[in-house]
Every structure is written in structure tokens, then in C-alpha cells.
Amino acid sequence: MKKETVVIGAGIIGLACAARLTLSGFRVRLIDPNSPGQGASFGNAGHIATEQIEPLASPDTLKKLWSYLRDPDKPLRIRRPYFFQALPWLLRFAWACRPERYASGVEQLKLLQSAAWIELERLFKLIGSPCLLHQNGNLLLIENAKNQPHAIQHVNFLNKHHVDAQWLCHRMVLKLTPMLNSHITGAIHFPKTGHVSDPYTVCQALHQFLLDKNVGMVRATAQAIRATSEGLYIDCRETRIKAHKVVICAGAWSAKLAASTGIYAPLETERGYHLNLNGYQSGLHLPVASYERKVIISPLHNATRITGGVEFGGLELPEDQSKYGILSKHLKCILPDCDHHTQTRWMGFRPSLPDHLPIIGQHPANPNILFAFGHQHLGLTLSGITATLIDYLHKGALTPINLYPFRPERFGTV
Ligand SMILES: Cc1cc2nc3c(=O)[nH]c(=O)nc-3n(C[C@H](O)[C@H](O)[C@H](O)COP(=O)(O)OP(=O)(O)OC[C@H]3O[C@@H](n4cnc5c(N)ncnc54)[C@H](O)[C@@H]3O)c2cc1C
């Protein structure tokens, strides 16, 4: 009997890793207390954001932090009861915003992003669902003319880093997307990015592929990983599972599991919200984000979705209901003709590390324990490349990307 690899967490990262390992001929089992794709991977914007080569931990973010916190539309919010819990993470984040740290973060994220599209496309083809991926580009809208010089500067910066981006004037934006509000002053166009038909449909397609390949799925909550002379044991609330190798992909819930292996991961969740107009087709063929509003509107196969917000409130506090009114207002301002269709509301937990880079790598003392979490705002985008890298590590092969900046032990041990 083949030795078994257990993947903990059936979000987009765990599903993609499980699919990749199965395609390489390994015997895989998935553990999750919920059905696949119910975490952050369920309701994200579905944007394949390969243009985002800058970690959010940047001098620019630090400069604007105060204005974001004071903005009545709350693009960034720290929930009062959670302030002191979030503080250590926020201080580490501020430290990661140093210009030299940010500059190396750009180089490191660029490495992942340069292979992100191709690996995602390959994965979708391998599981037989290439039609879920659309390379229609995306727009970053500028509403206030005073922000244009900064946007144009940003285009130059991105071009210098080989990201395909161009400035579109007001007339060109409305020609491309006539349904947008005519007050838009211009936009950055990213022609090589894309979106998926629906992020949850992607999870379902990966799950179906795994079912067809007879990959076992256990409904259980992993609590700790123990290395013994007989192999690895995953202690779950409900059961105990033996594995030859394990991959930790539990999104925002991964820190405790990493700690059980001696790895310290200062993981926080950046909570985000969506409002879905079910059945509503706006006519948009590409996602449009707003520079000023910090939201993105995505054309899904049977809905129009607006997502936004970064909220520090941990994993337990209830949703902030006022966020939905704010999203609705932004939607109306950008897409004035949008209809009041049946709306569904959702909040999800982005898994974020203070340097805004994911953890992808092997345990320094036990190569049978692998880590893939902390993909912050880019988990869907980076799922294909993450799965490929995990497959390389799992085989004991040299990875095509230097994984040192993403190593699990970079924040220390417990
Ligand atoms: C509003 C919003 C918009 C976003 N938009 C985009 C976008 O457009 N493009 C993009 O690339 N990214 C986007 N993201 C980010 C993206 O959604 C996440 O980075 C990604 O979903 C993380 O995937 P994951 O598999 O790591 O985590 P999750 O999807 O959260 O999955 C983690 C899984 O682990 C399971 N789990 C938890 N604890 C345990 C345990 N103890 N044992 C077993 N299983 C466990 C959970 O049940 C869950 O199924 C967005 C996020 C939000 C919130």
C-alpha cells in the first residue's frame, strides 16, 4: 500500500495541493470539518490578481493608514474589542513596511506572481475545467482627478517590473465599459490578468476531480501534529490519523497547527465582506476595482459581486452589518444602473502574515511536514503556483523558485 499524505484544510490552497499531489501519483487524504471551499475561498472576488506584485506591507500603506482608519466608509477597521489582540501583528506589519523590506517583498512576490497565471491555467486544464478561467484583464478606476498623477506613476513602476499595465483616459474607459458611471476620470488597465467564473465553483471543480480520483475526505478538525518514530500522527477532535507526510493548509486557522510542530506563525485574519447580486449581469466582462473606494466589482457567471474591506476582528467577533450598506452604496456609485436583485451577504477570513508573504515550505527539522498558508489577499491567484511548489517539495525535488523568503521558520519557533 502506498504511503499517504494528509492535506489539512479544503480551501482553495488545500484543494489545489491535493489535486497536484494526486496528479503526481501520490495517495492523498483531505481533512476539514466543513465541506470543501467554505472558508475564505468561498466568497472572494474571483480576481486573478497577477498584477499585484507589491506586498500590502509598504511605506505607502503606512502613510495612508490613518486616513483609512478615519474614513467613514471604513475601508480599514480595527474592531475595538480586538485592538490589543491585533496590536502585536500591527506592529510587526509596520516594521515590514520599511522601504528596504518592502523592496525585497516586491522581488519575492514577483517571483510567485510571474508563474501564477501559467500554473493556475495548467491546473484548471489538468482537472478538466479550463473554462472556469477567463483572461479578460481588469481595471483599477480613478474617480478623483487629483489621484491621476499617482496612478500614472504606478503604471510606470509596474511596467518597470514587467507587469503589463496601461493608463486609459476617461473616454477610453467608457468605451471599454460603458455601464460605468461617467464621472470616472481614468483607469489603469491590466490586460493580462483575469477572473474565474465563480470562486466556489472552482473549489467544487477541484473537489469533484478529487472524488473522481478516489481521494478520501475526512470531516474532522485537526488539533495537533505529532512526529513519532512510526511516522506522523494528526490528532483531530474526532479521531487520530496516521500519515507519511502532512501539508498544513488551514488558512486563517493554521497557526495552532504550525505551533504544534514548533513553528511560530504570527497569523492574523484580515476579514473582508461581499455583497452578491444573484442573477444580475451588469454587462461587465472584467473585474473593476476602485482606487479610492478600495472595493472590486466582479462579473461572475450568474451574479455581480462587490467585495471589500479589511477588518481586524479575529475569528470570533460577529460581522459588522454596516459594511453591507457601504458596499451597496459603492456599487451604486460605480454601476449606477445596477438593479436591486436578491442579495446575499458574506464575510470571510483572509489569512495574513505581517510581511504579507505566504508561508510555503518544509519544516526545518522534518521534511515530511509541509506548510502552505498565509496567502492574504491573493490565495486564489497563488493557488496554482503554491500547489506546484508543494508538489516539488513533496517529491524532494529542487523548486524552480527560491523558497527561502517564504520559509515557515522565518518568524521563529515556539
Ligand atoms: C472579501 C475577500 C476578497 C478576496 N478576493 C480575492 C481575489 O479576488 N483574488 C485572490 O486571489 N484572493 C482573494 N481573496 C483571498 C483569498 O480568498 C484567500 O487568500 C484564500 O481563499 C485562502 O485560501 P485558504 O485555502 O488558505 O483558506 P480557506 O479558504 O479559508 O480554507 C481553509 C480551510 O481550512 C479548514 N480548517 C480550518 N481549521 C481546520 C482544522 N483545524 N482542521 C482541518 N481543517 C481546518 C477550514 O474549514 C477551511 O475549509 C479574498 C478574500 C476575501 C475575504
Side-chain angles (χ1 to χ4, degrees):
M1 187 123 130
K2 270 194 208 167
K3 291 173 178 170
E4 191 170 65
T5 298
V6 169
V7 175
I8 304 177
I12 187 66
I13 300 295
L15 289 164
C17 289
R20 258 284 169 194
L21 296 176
T22 304
L23 283 160
S24 291
F26 299 109
R27 197 161 146 253
V28 176
R29 200 165 3 163
L30 259 173
I31 304 184
D32 199 306
N34 302 306
S35 55
Q38 295 295 325
S41 307
F42 176 84
N44 62 53
H47 172 208
I48 308 305
T50 49
E51 82 284 8
Q52 292 181 18
I53 56 161
E54 292 173 273
L56 215 66
S58 71
D60 195 46
T61 308
L62 205 56
K63 228 173 18 202
K64 292 182 182 150
L65 214 58
W66 186 238
S67 66
Y68 292 153
L69 283 168
R70 282 168 28 136
D71 187 329
D73 286 341
K74 308 188 235 181
L76 171 66
R77 190 176 177 212
I78 306 169
R79 297 283 288 269
R80 201 166 288 173
Y82 197 72
F83 178 78
F84 287 106
Q85 270 161 283
L87 194 58
W89 189 96
L90 291 168
L91 292 173
R92 279 177 179 269
F93 176 83
W95 182 239
C97 291
R98 299 177 335 271
E100 65 279 13
R101 182 68 198 91
Y102 156 76
S104 56
V106 171
E107 293 308 318
Q108 290 147 6
L109 200 50
K110 231 166 68 179
L111 283 178
L112 295 180
Q113 289 286 33
S114 62
W117 182 275
I118 204 157
E119 289 303 329
L120 200 59
E121 196 174 39
R122 185 172 295 156
L123 180 66
F124 280 31
K125 273 192 193 141
L126 287 168
I127 65 158
S129 299
C131 57
L132 295 178
L133 191 61
H134 313 281
Q135 196 167 33
N136 294 357
N138 76 289
L139 290 176
L140 177 62
L141 308 176
I142 309 294
E143 291 171 74
N144 189 336
K146 86 170 193 305
N147 292 323
Q148 278 192 14
H150 184 254
I152 293 167
Q153 222 180 331
H154 190 55
V155 170
N156 294 336
F157 165 85
L158 291 171
N159 290 163
K160 217 172 70 194
H161 286 276
H162 311 291
V163 175
D164 212 331
Q166 65 216 31
W167 174 251
L168 301 186
C169 66
H170 163 83
R171 193 179 45 82
M172 287 153 97
V173 176
L174 290 183
K175 197 167 163 211
L176 187 68
T177 45
M179 63 295 293
L180 296 182
N181 198 326
S182 56
H183 77 271
I184 307 290
T185 67
I188 304 179
H189 184 215
F190 302 97
K192 300 268 175 66
T193 64
H195 68 284
V196 294
S197 301
D198 183 295
Y200 181 53
T201 311
V202 170
C203 293
Q204 285 177 310
L206 282 160
H207 183 212
Q208 191 55 52
F209 169 80
L210 294 171
L211 289 178
D212 294 345
K213 298 284 177 194
N214 296 319
V215 170
M217 170 100 201
V218 184
R219 287 284 188 110
T221 306
Q223 292 185 308
I225 294 149
R226 273 186 302 117
T228 72
S229 53
E230 298 156 43
L232 296 171
Y233 281 96
I234 299 137
D235 293 328
C236 300
R237 195 175 291 151
E238 307 77 357
T239 178
R240 194 176 69 152
I241 296 167
K242 188 169 186 298
H244 174 55
K245 296 193 187 215
V246 63
V247 193
I248 303 176
C249 309
W253 297 267
S254 301
K256 206 173 131 199
L257 292 167
S260 74
T261 73
I263 295 294
Y264 173 60
L267 192 67
E268 247 313 329
T269 175
E270 291 180 53
R271 297 149 54 119
Y273 291 77
H274 93 206
L275 199 60
N276 220 47
L277 267 58
N278 303 321
Y280 180 67
Q281 300 293 353
S282 63
L284 281 175
H285 64 289
L286 79 183
V288 293
S290 161
Y291 176 86
E292 287 90 358
R293 298 172 193 275
K294 309 291 176 219
V295 294
I296 178 163
I297 301 172
S298 316
L300 304 183
H301 73 247
N302 197 21
T304 297
R305 173 173 297 171
I306 179 163
T307 55
V310 166
E311 182 183 80
F312 291 88
L315 295 164
E316 304 295 336
L317 284 180
E319 297 173 20
D320 172 1
Q321 295 297 330
S322 71
K323 281 301 290 183
Y324 299 110
I326 294 168
L327 286 178
S328 182
K329 183 185 95 177
H330 288 321
L331 184 62
K332 267 277 174 204
C333 286
I334 298 170
L335 271 179
D337 294 334
C338 86
D339 225 298
H340 280 283
H341 271 64
T342 327
Q343 297 179 354
T344 44
R345 300 164 159 207
W346 173 87
M347 184 192 69
F349 301 100
R350 299 182 189 96
S352 299
L353 291 152
D355 57 5
H356 255 245
L357 297 176
I359 282 181
I360 306 170
Q362 269 168 319
H363 194 285
N366 187 340
N368 290 336
I369 305 176
L370 298 139
F371 301 81
F373 64 84
H375 291 74
Q376 28 91 9
H377 297 234
L378 294 171
L380 173 64
T381 306
L382 298 178
S383 56
I385 179 65
T386 300
T388 302
L389 292 167
I390 289 293
D391 189 32
Y392 270 86
L393 292 174
H394 191 279
K395 285 176 185 151
L398 201 64
T399 54
I401 289 175
N402 173 15
L403 288 181
Y404 185 76
F406 311 103
R407 68 199 181 284
E409 70 278 21
R410 69 180 186 270
F411 298 102
T413 50
V414 288

